[in-house]
PDB file of all heavy atoms in Angstrom:
ATOM      1  N   GLY A1311       3.745  -6.854  -1.578  1.00  0.00           N
ATOM      2  CA  GLY A1311       2.994  -6.805  -2.820  1.00  0.00           C
ATOM      3  C   GLY A1311       1.958  -5.696  -2.884  1.00  0.00           C
ATOM      4  O   GLY A1311       1.333  -5.499  -3.921  1.00  0.00           O
ATOM      5  N   VAL A1312       1.763  -4.966  -1.791  1.00  0.00           N
ATOM      6  CA  VAL A1312       0.794  -3.873  -1.784  1.00  0.00           C
ATOM      7  C   VAL A1312       1.440  -2.623  -2.384  1.00  0.00           C
ATOM      8  O   VAL A1312       2.554  -2.258  -2.010  1.00  0.00           O
ATOM      9  CB  VAL A1312       0.302  -3.592  -0.353  1.00  0.00           C
ATOM     10  CG1 VAL A1312      -0.550  -2.326  -0.309  1.00  0.00           C
ATOM     11  CG2 VAL A1312      -0.501  -4.779   0.179  1.00  0.00           C
ATOM     12  N   PRO A1313       0.759  -1.947  -3.314  1.00  0.00           N
ATOM     13  CA  PRO A1313       1.340  -0.740  -3.924  1.00  0.00           C
ATOM     14  C   PRO A1313       1.629   0.329  -2.878  1.00  0.00           C
ATOM     15  O   PRO A1313       0.928   0.432  -1.867  1.00  0.00           O
ATOM     16  CB  PRO A1313       0.252  -0.282  -4.898  1.00  0.00           C
ATOM     17  CG  PRO A1313      -0.608  -1.474  -5.124  1.00  0.00           C
ATOM     18  CD  PRO A1313      -0.558  -2.276  -3.882  1.00  0.00           C
ATOM     19  N   GLU A1314       2.657   1.126  -3.155  1.00  0.00           N
ATOM     20  CA  GLU A1314       3.058   2.199  -2.249  1.00  0.00           C
ATOM     21  C   GLU A1314       2.828   3.564  -2.877  1.00  0.00           C
ATOM     22  O   GLU A1314       3.031   3.744  -4.071  1.00  0.00           O
ATOM     23  CB  GLU A1314       4.544   2.085  -1.908  1.00  0.00           C
ATOM     24  CG  GLU A1314       4.928   0.927  -1.034  1.00  0.00           C
ATOM     25  CD  GLU A1314       6.385   1.020  -0.592  1.00  0.00           C
ATOM     26  OE1 GLU A1314       7.020   2.064  -0.882  1.00  0.00           O
ATOM     27  OE2 GLU A1314       6.873   0.079   0.030  1.00  0.00           O
ATOM     28  N   VAL A1315       2.407   4.508  -2.053  1.00  0.00           N
ATOM     29  CA  VAL A1315       2.446   5.925  -2.397  1.00  0.00           C
ATOM     30  C   VAL A1315       2.989   6.661  -1.184  1.00  0.00           C
ATOM     31  O   VAL A1315       3.017   6.123  -0.080  1.00  0.00           O
ATOM     32  CB  VAL A1315       1.052   6.491  -2.777  1.00  0.00           C
ATOM     33  CG1 VAL A1315       0.554   5.900  -4.084  1.00  0.00           C
ATOM     34  CG2 VAL A1315       0.044   6.268  -1.652  1.00  0.00           C
ATOM     35  N   ASP A1316       3.406   7.877  -1.405  1.00  0.00           N
ATOM     36  CA  ASP A1316       3.895   8.659  -0.271  1.00  0.00           C
ATOM     37  C   ASP A1316       2.758   9.128   0.624  1.00  0.00           C
ATOM     38  O   ASP A1316       2.901   9.163   1.847  1.00  0.00           O
ATOM     39  CB  ASP A1316       4.684   9.881  -0.767  1.00  0.00           C
ATOM     40  CG  ASP A1316       5.969   9.501  -1.477  1.00  0.00           C
ATOM     41  OD1 ASP A1316       6.651   8.572  -0.990  1.00  0.00           O
ATOM     42  OD2 ASP A1316       6.277  10.111  -2.513  1.00  0.00           O
ATOM     43  N   ALA A1317       1.628   9.511   0.017  1.00  0.00           N
ATOM     44  CA  ALA A1317       0.530  10.065   0.808  1.00  0.00           C
ATOM     45  C   ALA A1317      -0.811   9.644   0.237  1.00  0.00           C
ATOM     46  O   ALA A1317      -1.000   9.611  -0.984  1.00  0.00           O
ATOM     47  CB  ALA A1317       0.622  11.588   0.854  1.00  0.00           C
ATOM     48  N   VAL A1318      -1.739   9.341   1.149  1.00  0.00           N
ATOM     49  CA  VAL A1318      -3.139   9.135   0.791  1.00  0.00           C
ATOM     50  C   VAL A1318      -3.935  10.300   1.363  1.00  0.00           C
ATOM     51  O   VAL A1318      -3.785  10.647   2.546  1.00  0.00           O
ATOM     52  CB  VAL A1318      -3.679   7.800   1.341  1.00  0.00           C
ATOM     53  CG1 VAL A1318      -5.207   7.755   1.279  1.00  0.00           C
ATOM     54  CG2 VAL A1318      -3.089   6.628   0.571  1.00  0.00           C
ATOM     55  N   VAL A1319      -4.764  10.907   0.527  1.00  0.00           N
ATOM     56  CA  VAL A1319      -5.639  12.001   0.946  1.00  0.00           C
ATOM     57  C   VAL A1319      -7.069  11.507   0.833  1.00  0.00           C
ATOM     58  O   VAL A1319      -7.470  10.976  -0.206  1.00  0.00           O
ATOM     59  CB  VAL A1319      -5.428  13.255   0.071  1.00  0.00           C
ATOM     60  CG1 VAL A1319      -6.401  14.360   0.478  1.00  0.00           C
ATOM     61  CG2 VAL A1319      -3.985  13.737   0.169  1.00  0.00           C
ATOM     62  N   VAL A1320      -7.831  11.668   1.897  1.00  0.00           N
ATOM     63  CA  VAL A1320      -9.221  11.205   1.920  1.00  0.00           C
ATOM     64  C   VAL A1320     -10.136  12.409   1.749  1.00  0.00           C
ATOM     65  O   VAL A1320     -10.213  13.280   2.617  1.00  0.00           O
ATOM     66  CB  VAL A1320      -9.544  10.464   3.231  1.00  0.00           C
ATOM     67  CG1 VAL A1320     -10.954   9.876   3.170  1.00  0.00           C
ATOM     68  CG2 VAL A1320      -8.514   9.372   3.496  1.00  0.00           C
ATOM     69  N   GLY A1321     -10.808  12.478   0.591  1.00  0.00           N
ATOM     70  CA  GLY A1321     -11.718  13.584   0.304  1.00  0.00           C
ATOM     71  C   GLY A1321     -11.188  14.483  -0.789  1.00  0.00           C
ATOM     72  O   GLY A1321     -10.000  14.830  -0.802  1.00  0.00           O
ATOM     73  N   ALA A1322     -12.078  14.846  -1.728  1.00  0.00           N
ATOM     74  CA  ALA A1322     -11.677  15.719  -2.846  1.00  0.00           C
ATOM     75  C   ALA A1322     -12.526  16.981  -2.872  1.00  0.00           C
ATOM     76  O   ALA A1322     -12.957  17.445  -3.919  1.00  0.00           O
ATOM     77  CB  ALA A1322     -11.781  14.967  -4.178  1.00  0.00           C
ATOM     78  N   GLY A1323     -12.752  17.537  -1.678  1.00  0.00           N
ATOM     79  CA  GLY A1323     -13.321  18.868  -1.596  1.00  0.00           C
ATOM     80  C   GLY A1323     -12.208  19.899  -1.684  1.00  0.00           C
ATOM     81  O   GLY A1323     -11.103  19.617  -2.157  1.00  0.00           O
ATOM     82  N   MET A1324     -12.476  21.099  -1.185  1.00  0.00           N
ATOM     83  CA  MET A1324     -11.473  22.160  -1.310  1.00  0.00           C
ATOM     84  C   MET A1324     -10.197  21.823  -0.544  1.00  0.00           C
ATOM     85  O   MET A1324      -9.087  22.104  -1.013  1.00  0.00           O
ATOM     86  CB  MET A1324     -12.075  23.490  -0.844  1.00  0.00           C
ATOM     87  CG  MET A1324     -13.252  23.931  -1.713  1.00  0.00           C
ATOM     88  SD  MET A1324     -14.002  25.493  -1.213  1.00  0.00           S
ATOM     89  CE  MET A1324     -12.962  26.666  -2.085  1.00  0.00           C
ATOM     90  N   SER A1325     -10.326  21.196   0.634  1.00  0.00           N
ATOM     91  CA  SER A1325      -9.119  20.868   1.394  1.00  0.00           C
ATOM     92  C   SER A1325      -8.349  19.728   0.747  1.00  0.00           C
ATOM     93  O   SER A1325      -7.116  19.749   0.700  1.00  0.00           O
ATOM     94  CB  SER A1325      -9.478  20.532   2.843  1.00  0.00           C
ATOM     95  OG  SER A1325     -10.418  19.494   2.923  1.00  0.00           O
ATOM     96  N   GLY A1326      -9.048  18.721   0.229  1.00  0.00           N
ATOM     97  CA  GLY A1326      -8.373  17.608  -0.419  1.00  0.00           C
ATOM     98  C   GLY A1326      -7.644  18.023  -1.677  1.00  0.00           C
ATOM     99  O   GLY A1326      -6.513  17.587  -1.942  1.00  0.00           O
ATOM    100  N   LEU A1327      -8.281  18.875  -2.473  1.00  0.00           N
ATOM    101  CA  LEU A1327      -7.654  19.331  -3.715  1.00  0.00           C
ATOM    102  C   LEU A1327      -6.398  20.158  -3.433  1.00  0.00           C
ATOM    103  O   LEU A1327      -5.361  19.987  -4.095  1.00  0.00           O
ATOM    104  CB  LEU A1327      -8.650  20.142  -4.544  1.00  0.00           C
ATOM    105  CG  LEU A1327      -9.850  19.376  -5.097  1.00  0.00           C
ATOM    106  CD1 LEU A1327     -10.760  20.315  -5.879  1.00  0.00           C
ATOM    107  CD2 LEU A1327      -9.417  18.202  -5.976  1.00  0.00           C
ATOM    108  N   TYR A1328      -6.493  21.047  -2.455  1.00  0.00           N
ATOM    109  CA  TYR A1328      -5.323  21.872  -2.160  1.00  0.00           C
ATOM    110  C   TYR A1328      -4.205  21.036  -1.543  1.00  0.00           C
ATOM    111  O   TYR A1328      -3.019  21.252  -1.824  1.00  0.00           O
ATOM    112  CB  TYR A1328      -5.706  23.040  -1.240  1.00  0.00           C
ATOM    113  CG  TYR A1328      -4.593  24.049  -1.048  1.00  0.00           C
ATOM    114  CD1 TYR A1328      -3.732  24.383  -2.094  1.00  0.00           C
ATOM    115  CD2 TYR A1328      -4.389  24.662   0.188  1.00  0.00           C
ATOM    116  CE1 TYR A1328      -2.712  25.302  -1.915  1.00  0.00           C
ATOM    117  CE2 TYR A1328      -3.379  25.584   0.374  1.00  0.00           C
ATOM    118  CZ  TYR A1328      -2.536  25.900  -0.682  1.00  0.00           C
ATOM    119  OH  TYR A1328      -1.510  26.815  -0.508  1.00  0.00           O
ATOM    120  N   THR A1329      -4.574  20.053  -0.726  1.00  0.00           N
ATOM    121  CA  THR A1329      -3.561  19.154  -0.166  1.00  0.00           C
ATOM    122  C   THR A1329      -2.834  18.408  -1.280  1.00  0.00           C
ATOM    123  O   THR A1329      -1.594  18.296  -1.278  1.00  0.00           O
ATOM    124  CB  THR A1329      -4.207  18.150   0.803  1.00  0.00           C
ATOM    125  OG1 THR A1329      -4.860  18.850   1.863  1.00  0.00           O
ATOM    126  CG2 THR A1329      -3.163  17.214   1.391  1.00  0.00           C
ATOM    127  N   LEU A1330      -3.581  17.893  -2.234  1.00  0.00           N
ATOM    128  CA  LEU A1330      -2.978  17.200  -3.375  1.00  0.00           C
ATOM    129  C   LEU A1330      -2.008  18.127  -4.106  1.00  0.00           C
ATOM    130  O   LEU A1330      -0.876  17.740  -4.429  1.00  0.00           O
ATOM    131  CB  LEU A1330      -4.077  16.708  -4.322  1.00  0.00           C
ATOM    132  CG  LEU A1330      -3.636  16.195  -5.698  1.00  0.00           C
ATOM    133  CD1 LEU A1330      -2.652  15.040  -5.562  1.00  0.00           C
ATOM    134  CD2 LEU A1330      -4.858  15.777  -6.519  1.00  0.00           C
ATOM    135  N   HIS A1331      -2.438  19.347  -4.377  1.00  0.00           N
ATOM    136  CA  HIS A1331      -1.596  20.306  -5.093  1.00  0.00           C
ATOM    137  C   HIS A1331      -0.301  20.583  -4.326  1.00  0.00           C
ATOM    138  O   HIS A1331       0.797  20.581  -4.914  1.00  0.00           O
ATOM    139  CB  HIS A1331      -2.384  21.601  -5.297  1.00  0.00           C
ATOM    140  CG  HIS A1331      -1.601  22.699  -5.953  1.00  0.00           C
ATOM    141  ND1 HIS A1331      -1.135  22.613  -7.245  1.00  0.00           N
ATOM    142  CD2 HIS A1331      -1.202  23.907  -5.470  1.00  0.00           C
ATOM    143  CE1 HIS A1331      -0.477  23.729  -7.548  1.00  0.00           C
ATOM    144  NE2 HIS A1331      -0.497  24.522  -6.492  1.00  0.00           N
ATOM    145  N   LYS A1332      -0.403  20.796  -3.017  1.00  0.00           N
ATOM    146  CA  LYS A1332       0.785  21.127  -2.226  1.00  0.00           C
ATOM    147  C   LYS A1332       1.730  19.934  -2.098  1.00  0.00           C
ATOM    148  O   LYS A1332       2.955  20.084  -2.235  1.00  0.00           O
ATOM    149  CB  LYS A1332       0.362  21.606  -0.834  1.00  0.00           C
ATOM    150  CG  LYS A1332      -0.242  22.985  -0.804  1.00  0.00           C
ATOM    151  CD  LYS A1332       0.745  24.077  -1.178  1.00  0.00           C
ATOM    152  CE  LYS A1332       1.787  24.308  -0.116  1.00  0.00           C
ATOM    153  NZ  LYS A1332       2.672  25.452  -0.456  1.00  0.00           N
ATOM    154  N   LEU A1333       1.198  18.735  -1.842  1.00  0.00           N
ATOM    155  CA  LEU A1333       2.066  17.580  -1.661  1.00  0.00           C
ATOM    156  C   LEU A1333       2.704  17.168  -2.976  1.00  0.00           C
ATOM    157  O   LEU A1333       3.870  16.744  -3.013  1.00  0.00           O
ATOM    158  CB  LEU A1333       1.280  16.414  -1.054  1.00  0.00           C
ATOM    159  CG  LEU A1333       0.721  16.632   0.355  1.00  0.00           C
ATOM    160  CD1 LEU A1333       0.125  15.346   0.898  1.00  0.00           C
ATOM    161  CD2 LEU A1333       1.793  17.173   1.305  1.00  0.00           C
ATOM    162  N   ARG A1334       1.954  17.294  -4.052  1.00  0.00           N
ATOM    163  CA  ARG A1334       2.538  17.005  -5.361  1.00  0.00           C
ATOM    164  C   ARG A1334       3.690  17.975  -5.632  1.00  0.00           C
ATOM    165  O   ARG A1334       4.711  17.597  -6.226  1.00  0.00           O
ATOM    166  CB  ARG A1334       1.462  17.128  -6.445  1.00  0.00           C
ATOM    167  CG  ARG A1334       1.913  16.636  -7.794  1.00  0.00           C
ATOM    168  CD  ARG A1334       0.915  17.073  -8.853  1.00  0.00           C
ATOM    169  NE  ARG A1334      -0.231  16.195  -8.944  1.00  0.00           N
ATOM    170  CZ  ARG A1334      -1.302  16.463  -9.712  1.00  0.00           C
ATOM    171  NH1 ARG A1334      -1.358  17.593 -10.403  1.00  0.00           N
ATOM    172  NH2 ARG A1334      -2.303  15.611  -9.773  1.00  0.00           N
ATOM    173  N   GLY A1335       3.543  19.219  -5.195  1.00  0.00           N
ATOM    174  CA  GLY A1335       4.607  20.202  -5.367  1.00  0.00           C
ATOM    175  C   GLY A1335       5.872  19.872  -4.599  1.00  0.00           C
ATOM    176  O   GLY A1335       6.952  20.374  -4.923  1.00  0.00           O
ATOM    177  N   LEU A1336       5.750  19.020  -3.572  1.00  0.00           N
ATOM    178  CA  LEU A1336       6.925  18.569  -2.826  1.00  0.00           C
ATOM    179  C   LEU A1336       7.598  17.372  -3.488  1.00  0.00           C
ATOM    180  O   LEU A1336       8.607  16.869  -3.005  1.00  0.00           O
ATOM    181  CB  LEU A1336       6.522  18.173  -1.395  1.00  0.00           C
ATOM    182  CG  LEU A1336       5.950  19.261  -0.496  1.00  0.00           C
ATOM    183  CD1 LEU A1336       5.577  18.673   0.866  1.00  0.00           C
ATOM    184  CD2 LEU A1336       6.929  20.420  -0.332  1.00  0.00           C
ATOM    185  N   GLY A1337       6.987  16.881  -4.576  1.00  0.00           N
ATOM    186  CA  GLY A1337       7.533  15.719  -5.253  1.00  0.00           C
ATOM    187  C   GLY A1337       6.997  14.400  -4.728  1.00  0.00           C
ATOM    188  O   GLY A1337       7.533  13.337  -5.061  1.00  0.00           O
ATOM    189  N   LEU A1338       5.947  14.448  -3.910  1.00  0.00           N
ATOM    190  CA  LEU A1338       5.368  13.227  -3.360  1.00  0.00           C
ATOM    191  C   LEU A1338       4.432  12.575  -4.364  1.00  0.00           C
ATOM    192  O   LEU A1338       3.788  13.253  -5.176  1.00  0.00           O
ATOM    193  CB  LEU A1338       4.586  13.518  -2.077  1.00  0.00           C
ATOM    194  CG  LEU A1338       5.364  13.546  -0.751  1.00  0.00           C
ATOM    195  CD1 LEU A1338       6.361  14.679  -0.731  1.00  0.00           C
ATOM    196  CD2 LEU A1338       4.402  13.642   0.426  1.00  0.00           C
ATOM    197  N   THR A1339       4.339  11.252  -4.279  1.00  0.00           N
ATOM    198  CA  THR A1339       3.283  10.540  -4.993  1.00  0.00           C
ATOM    199  C   THR A1339       2.054  10.528  -4.087  1.00  0.00           C
ATOM    200  O   THR A1339       2.151  10.192  -2.897  1.00  0.00           O
ATOM    201  CB  THR A1339       3.705   9.108  -5.332  1.00  0.00           C
ATOM    202  OG1 THR A1339       4.100   8.432  -4.136  1.00  0.00           O
ATOM    203  CG2 THR A1339       4.850   9.101  -6.325  1.00  0.00           C
ATOM    204  N   VAL A1340       0.914  10.917  -4.646  1.00  0.00           N
ATOM    205  CA  VAL A1340      -0.290  11.114  -3.837  1.00  0.00           C
ATOM    206  C   VAL A1340      -1.470  10.395  -4.491  1.00  0.00           C
ATOM    207  O   VAL A1340      -1.642  10.448  -5.712  1.00  0.00           O
ATOM    208  CB  VAL A1340      -0.631  12.621  -3.703  1.00  0.00           C
ATOM    209  CG1 VAL A1340      -1.806  12.823  -2.758  1.00  0.00           C
ATOM    210  CG2 VAL A1340       0.580  13.418  -3.237  1.00  0.00           C
ATOM    211  N   GLN A1341      -2.282   9.745  -3.666  1.00  0.00           N
ATOM    212  CA  GLN A1341      -3.538   9.164  -4.133  1.00  0.00           C
ATOM    213  C   GLN A1341      -4.676   9.759  -3.304  1.00  0.00           C
ATOM    214  O   GLN A1341      -4.662   9.680  -2.073  1.00  0.00           O
ATOM    215  CB  GLN A1341      -3.556   7.643  -3.978  1.00  0.00           C
ATOM    216  CG  GLN A1341      -4.865   6.979  -4.399  1.00  0.00           C
ATOM    217  CD  GLN A1341      -5.160   7.158  -5.885  1.00  0.00           C
ATOM    218  OE1 GLN A1341      -4.420   6.680  -6.732  1.00  0.00           O
ATOM    219  NE2 GLN A1341      -6.239   7.874  -6.200  1.00  0.00           N
ATOM    220  N   VAL A1342      -5.636  10.352  -4.000  1.00  0.00           N
ATOM    221  CA  VAL A1342      -6.829  10.901  -3.351  1.00  0.00           C
ATOM    222  C   VAL A1342      -7.990   9.946  -3.588  1.00  0.00           C
ATOM    223  O   VAL A1342      -8.199   9.478  -4.708  1.00  0.00           O
ATOM    224  CB  VAL A1342      -7.175  12.297  -3.909  1.00  0.00           C
ATOM    225  CG1 VAL A1342      -8.426  12.856  -3.227  1.00  0.00           C
ATOM    226  CG2 VAL A1342      -6.006  13.258  -3.731  1.00  0.00           C
ATOM    227  N   PHE A1343      -8.745   9.671  -2.533  1.00  0.00           N
ATOM    228  CA  PHE A1343      -9.964   8.883  -2.646  1.00  0.00           C
ATOM    229  C   PHE A1343     -11.157   9.772  -2.300  1.00  0.00           C
ATOM    230  O   PHE A1343     -11.136  10.501  -1.302  1.00  0.00           O
ATOM    231  CB  PHE A1343      -9.942   7.679  -1.704  1.00  0.00           C
ATOM    232  CG  PHE A1343      -8.936   6.633  -2.077  1.00  0.00           C
ATOM    233  CD1 PHE A1343      -7.811   6.423  -1.297  1.00  0.00           C
ATOM    234  CD2 PHE A1343      -9.115   5.853  -3.210  1.00  0.00           C
ATOM    235  CE1 PHE A1343      -6.869   5.452  -1.632  1.00  0.00           C
ATOM    236  CE2 PHE A1343      -8.178   4.874  -3.565  1.00  0.00           C
ATOM    237  CZ  PHE A1343      -7.061   4.682  -2.771  1.00  0.00           C
ATOM    238  N   GLU A1344     -12.193   9.691  -3.136  1.00  0.00           N
ATOM    239  CA  GLU A1344     -13.403  10.501  -2.950  1.00  0.00           C
ATOM    240  C   GLU A1344     -14.629   9.617  -3.136  1.00  0.00           C
ATOM    241  O   GLU A1344     -14.747   8.924  -4.145  1.00  0.00           O
ATOM    242  CB  GLU A1344     -13.419  11.659  -3.958  1.00  0.00           C
ATOM    243  CG  GLU A1344     -14.736  12.375  -4.126  1.00  0.00           C
ATOM    244  CD  GLU A1344     -15.281  12.943  -2.828  1.00  0.00           C
ATOM    245  OE1 GLU A1344     -14.531  13.631  -2.108  1.00  0.00           O
ATOM    246  OE2 GLU A1344     -16.477  12.698  -2.545  1.00  0.00           O
ATOM    247  N   LYS A1345     -15.537   9.652  -2.153  1.00  0.00           N
ATOM    248  CA  LYS A1345     -16.703   8.769  -2.224  1.00  0.00           C
ATOM    249  C   LYS A1345     -17.737   9.220  -3.249  1.00  0.00           C
ATOM    250  O   LYS A1345     -18.521   8.411  -3.749  1.00  0.00           O
ATOM    251  CB  LYS A1345     -17.356   8.632  -0.854  1.00  0.00           C
ATOM    252  CG  LYS A1345     -18.001   9.891  -0.318  1.00  0.00           C
ATOM    253  CD  LYS A1345     -18.616   9.635   1.059  1.00  0.00           C
ATOM    254  CE  LYS A1345     -19.236  10.897   1.642  1.00  0.00           C
ATOM    255  NZ  LYS A1345     -19.840  10.648   2.977  1.00  0.00           N
ATOM    256  N   GLY A1346     -17.740  10.505  -3.593  1.00  0.00           N
ATOM    257  CA  GLY A1346     -18.674  10.984  -4.606  1.00  0.00           C
ATOM    258  C   GLY A1346     -18.186  10.684  -6.011  1.00  0.00           C
ATOM    259  O   GLY A1346     -17.037  10.282  -6.218  1.00  0.00           O
ATOM    260  N   ASP A1347     -19.064  10.913  -6.999  1.00  0.00           N
ATOM    261  CA  ASP A1347     -18.636  10.686  -8.381  1.00  0.00           C
ATOM    262  C   ASP A1347     -18.144  11.971  -9.041  1.00  0.00           C
ATOM    263  O   ASP A1347     -18.041  12.071 -10.254  1.00  0.00           O
ATOM    264  CB  ASP A1347     -19.736  10.030  -9.218  1.00  0.00           C
ATOM    265  CG  ASP A1347     -20.984  10.883  -9.341  1.00  0.00           C
ATOM    266  OD1 ASP A1347     -20.958  12.069  -8.958  1.00  0.00           O
ATOM    267  OD2 ASP A1347     -22.010  10.369  -9.820  1.00  0.00           O
ATOM    268  N   GLY A1348     -17.824  12.954  -8.212  1.00  0.00           N
ATOM    269  CA  GLY A1348     -17.227  14.194  -8.690  1.00  0.00           C
ATOM    270  C   GLY A1348     -16.514  14.890  -7.547  1.00  0.00           C
ATOM    271  O   GLY A1348     -16.730  14.567  -6.371  1.00  0.00           O
ATOM    272  N   VAL A1349     -15.649  15.839  -7.872  1.00  0.00           N
ATOM    273  CA  VAL A1349     -14.953  16.608  -6.842  1.00  0.00           C
ATOM    274  C   VAL A1349     -15.873  17.728  -6.356  1.00  0.00           C
ATOM    275  O   VAL A1349     -16.890  18.032  -6.980  1.00  0.00           O
ATOM    276  CB  VAL A1349     -13.626  17.187  -7.372  1.00  0.00           C
ATOM    277  CG1 VAL A1349     -12.730  16.086  -7.907  1.00  0.00           C
ATOM    278  CG2 VAL A1349     -13.879  18.252  -8.453  1.00  0.00           C
ATOM    279  N   GLY A1350     -15.491  18.349  -5.239  1.00  0.00           N
ATOM    280  CA  GLY A1350     -16.259  19.496  -4.773  1.00  0.00           C
ATOM    281  C   GLY A1350     -16.665  19.443  -3.326  1.00  0.00           C
ATOM    282  O   GLY A1350     -17.031  20.466  -2.741  1.00  0.00           O
ATOM    283  N   GLY A1351     -16.653  18.253  -2.714  1.00  0.00           N
ATOM    284  CA  GLY A1351     -16.959  18.168  -1.290  1.00  0.00           C
ATOM    285  C   GLY A1351     -18.332  18.719  -0.960  1.00  0.00           C
ATOM    286  O   GLY A1351     -19.355  18.292  -1.516  1.00  0.00           O
TER     287      GLY A1351
END
């Protein structure tokens, strides 16, 4: 019953954003979690 994604990325700074972009380009479903209330790391 737990939802599935292909990849979880922890952090939405420069590395997290680029990771999301690259993995999404592979056709993966990706969820990014960021503790701040905005991106930027």
Side-chain angles (χ1 to χ4, degrees):
V1312 172
E1314 290 188 7
V1315 292
D1316 294 319
V1318 165
V1319 177
V1320 186
M1324 297 180 86
S1325 56
L1327 294 179
Y1328 188 37
T1329 301
L1330 169 58
H1331 177 65
K1332 287 294 289 185
L1333 296 187
R1334 189 192 277 173
L1336 297 179
L1338 274 65
T1339 55
V1340 185
Q1341 178 64 63
V1342 180
F1343 292 110
E1344 166 57 50
K1345 67 180 178 180
D1347 62 11
V1349 303

